[in-house]
Amino acid sequence: MKEELDKRLSQLNNEPDVSNLARQAFDSSYAHVRNEARASRKKRKKPIYMLLTMAAALTLFTMLSLDGTVLATFNRLFSFQDRGINQVAMTSEKNGRTESATDQHVTITLEQIIAGQHKLALRFAIAGDDIQLGDVTEFNLEYRIQAKDGTYLDEFISDTKPLNGDGGLIGHRFDTYIDQKKGVTIHEILAESKDRDIPSLDGAKIHIETLQWMQGDRSQTVNGNWMLPLHTTLPNEIMRYEVSGKVGKIEVVHAVTDMTSTHVVMRVDGERYDENFFFDNVYLKDGNGMIYRIETNYQMEVMNGKTTLTFHLPYTIKDATQKIDLGIKGIDMVTMTDSDK
């Protein structure tokens, strides 16, 4: 399956248009494999990375059967199989402009950026004549993102370096692809907001400090100074929800939907919950009857007999309806409406 997927991806053309039917197929395929992944997590049989590879392949094959012009869009997709990020990539023109910086005979190019209030996705291409890739098994890139006003929005650095801010975003995920023939390292980053929205990136810069390739017990480290401006042209439309009905056992502190996800902070009575309880039971039901669940990790804080949860749901502004139900199965549910309506 992977070989066929690679073959299909190599046929990308330059058509930017994607039909609504293809987009529906994308969501349908995505939802199917995500359900399989959730079932697998319960049974602990099939590794999640295998299911995500299946998701990429199933999505591609389904869409290709419906829309031959969809290939170009896949060139813009990130490899995390994050519904919101891929939805933006599929339904928007490629935003931002390519930026490059060279230091220590290594050139780093920022090829793609998707920045919402809740998630930030970045794709880099790293190339250098002195880099010996070989059979690289791991790659690390250390960086800091600094806003126009000088504050630090995100820092991902080793423990041996001091933080210039409070550390910034959480939930960092990474994916690396090594093209040995071309001598290029493709590195993708997906970061999620913590307990606040991601501030505007207008005038922001990313400062890359260290690159490290690892091959068994060998490694190659390059320290330098690569400074790249962050440009994004995507609209920053959001929808804020507030409780419109009764307040019961669930207190929703924050529920905001943007183009990448819905960021939720909620409190519930009790302190002792199994780690999978909220994965299995937290849900958002939109006005069309569609159900959305937690897919990535969540934060949990226990205090004074209550548990506070902070998490993201794959419900985006393109899905948004005026009314939603947000609940925890077996505990309670609250109805929420768009606060601007």
Side-chain angles (χ1 to χ4, degrees):
M1 180 177 289
K2 183 179 184 302
E3 288 75 11
E4 181 62 21
L5 176 60
D6 291 340
K7 178 181 178 182
R8 290 284 190 173
L9 290 174
S10 69
Q11 299 170 353
L12 293 171
N13 59 38
N14 295 317
E15 275 293 328
D17 298 326
V18 183
S19 71
N20 288 332
L21 190 59
R23 290 171 187 154
Q24 292 169 7
F26 169 81
D27 262 0
S28 177
S29 300
Y30 177 93
H32 172 76
V33 180
R34 277 302 185 186
N35 288 336
E36 291 295 317
R38 290 181 61 82
S40 177
R41 179 174 55 78
K42 288 182 179 181
K43 298 176 182 178
R44 290 180 172 83
K45 288 184 178 180
K46 187 174 293 185
I48 188 69
Y49 70 87
M50 292 178 61
L51 287 159
L52 295 183
T53 299
M54 289 168 58
L58 177 60
T59 299
L60 179 60
F61 294 152
T62 303
M63 294 177 69
L64 285 176
S65 68
L66 297 170
D67 194 331
T69 65
V70 77
L71 283 169
T73 300
F74 267 85
N75 193 37
R76 303 202 303 268
L77 294 186
F78 287 81
S79 56
F80 300 107
Q81 288 306 304
D82 181 281
R83 180 177 183 271
I85 293 296
N86 283 352
Q87 190 181 68
V88 173
M90 290 193 61
T91 58
S92 304
E93 292 296 325
K94 186 174 181 180
N95 82 101
R97 63 175 184 261
T98 300
E99 297 285 352
S100 296
T102 301
D103 191 25
Q104 306 300 314
H105 306 291
V106 176
T107 297
I108 301 179
T109 301
L110 175 58
E111 292 190 333
Q112 190 173 352
I113 174 173
I114 291 177
Q117 286 200 328
H118 306 144
K119 294 186 179 184
L120 172 63
L122 303 165
R123 178 190 291 147
F124 298 95
I126 302 103
D129 294 337
D130 297 331
I131 303 301
Q132 304 299 318
L133 296 178
D135 296 323
V136 172
T137 56
E138 190 174 349
F139 173 78
N140 289 328
L141 182 151
E142 298 182 17
Y143 69 89
R144 306 177 199 260
I145 296 178
Q146 191 172 20
K148 185 177 181 179
D149 64 4
T151 59
Y152 286 86
L153 306 181
D154 191 27
E155 297 177 87
F156 193 87
I157 57 175
S158 69
D159 295 337
T160 61
K161 297 180 181 180
L163 290 172
N164 293 335
D166 63 1
L169 307 180
I170 63 166
H172 294 87
R173 286 187 277 163
F174 306 94
D175 190 81
T176 303
Y177 170 71
I178 306 292
D179 189 331
Q180 295 183 3
K181 291 183 179 179
K182 294 183 178 179
V184 176
T185 300
I186 304 297
H187 186 65
E188 297 180 343
I189 300 169
L190 177 57
E192 298 181 344
S193 60
K194 188 164 45 179
D195 53 1
R196 60 186 175 89
D197 293 342
I198 299 174
S200 170
L201 294 182
D202 181 33
K205 296 181 178 180
I206 183 167
H207 178 200
I208 298 171
E209 300 180 357
T210 300
L211 309 170
Q212 186 179 42
W213 291 263
M214 282 149 283
Q215 179 182 356
D217 58 356
R218 298 171 51 208
S219 66
Q220 182 176 2
T221 301
V222 180
N223 294 306
N225 182 11
W226 298 269
M227 189 75 75
L228 297 166
L230 299 178
H231 302 286
T232 178
T233 59
L234 292 172
N236 202 17
E237 184 181 359
I238 64 170
M239 184 177 288
R240 297 183 184 276
Y241 288 97
E242 60 183 14
V243 176
S244 60
K246 68 179 180 68
V247 177
K249 299 177 182 178
I250 296 174
E251 176 189 358
V252 180
V253 180
H254 175 90
V256 178
T257 298
D258 77 346
M259 62 180 178
T260 63
S261 66
T262 295
H263 186 227
V264 178
V265 180
M266 66 161 55
R267 294 193 185 100
V268 60
D269 291 339
E271 299 182 349
R272 297 181 179 180
Y273 292 98
D274 178 81
E275 62 178 303
N276 287 328
F277 176 78
F278 295 111
F279 276 116
D280 295 334
N281 294 291
V282 170
Y283 67 91
L284 182 155
K285 182 179 180 181
D286 69 15
N288 297 317
M290 297 292 293
I291 303 293
Y292 304 84
R293 300 183 182 276
I294 299 175
E295 293 185 338
T296 55
N297 292 331
Y298 60 85
Q299 285 187 296
M300 184 169 63
E301 181 180 6
V302 177
M303 185 179 297
N304 299 326
K306 292 182 178 291
T307 297
T308 300
L309 303 173
T310 302
F311 56 88
H312 296 80
L313 295 166
Y315 171 76
T316 74
I317 200 71
K318 290 186 179 296
D319 309 310
T321 56
Q322 184 179 350
K323 184 177 74 172
I324 61 172
D325 293 332
L326 191 60
I328 305 175
K329 186 178 179 181
I331 295 182
D332 205 352
M333 179 273 292
V334 295
T335 297
M336 308 189 74
T337 56
D338 177 8
S339 61
D340 293 331
K341 296 295 184 180

